[in-house]
Amino acid sequence: MLNLRFFLMGLLVCAGSLSAQVETAEVLGTVKDVSGGVLNKAVVTLANEETGIQVKSATDDNGNYDFLSVKVGRYKLTVEAPGFAVYTATGISVD
């Protein structure tokens, strides 16, 4: 297994709100390797650090991922792809 780490380029957290006082946001970004190449079909997991609830997605052909309607809170983001070390970022604040 290669000892490369994932870089999460452009991790953006955009706040928004829906009706009835429910606050949600969008978490999106691009997964790249250390050389700058995008990783398609990487598995990205977004887990709420308080509730443990998690959702998974796969990056598209351009290495992009997008989680819609994410509740406000603190999250852990994990990226996994064959041949690469697992990357984990904790304490991501979504507000």
Side-chain angles (χ1 to χ4, degrees):
M1 183 175 286
L2 296 175
N3 199 11
L4 298 176
R5 292 209 165 238
F6 293 104
F7 287 106
L8 301 178
M9 304 302 288
L11 175 65
L12 300 176
V13 180
C14 305
S17 63
L18 296 176
S19 61
Q21 299 177 358
V22 176
E23 293 185 22
T24 61
E26 180 177 9
V27 177
L28 55 98
T30 302
V31 178
K32 296 183 177 185
D33 64 21
V34 294
S35 70
V38 298
L39 294 175
N40 62 345
K41 297 183 180 147
V43 176
V44 182
T45 304
L46 184 67
N48 186 300
E49 292 181 342
E50 296 167 6
T51 66
I53 295 173
Q54 57 182 276
V55 290
K56 292 188 179 202
S57 183
T59 58
D60 64 16
D61 290 339
N62 297 314
N64 299 318
Y65 63 89
D66 194 355
F67 293 100
L68 303 171
S69 299
V70 176
K71 291 188 178 185
V72 171
R74 294 182 62 80
Y75 287 84
K76 174 174 79 170
L77 186 77
T78 305
V79 180
E80 300 175 78
F84 291 89
V86 175
Y87 175 85
T88 302
T90 58
I92 298 169
S93 180
V94 175
D95 50 24

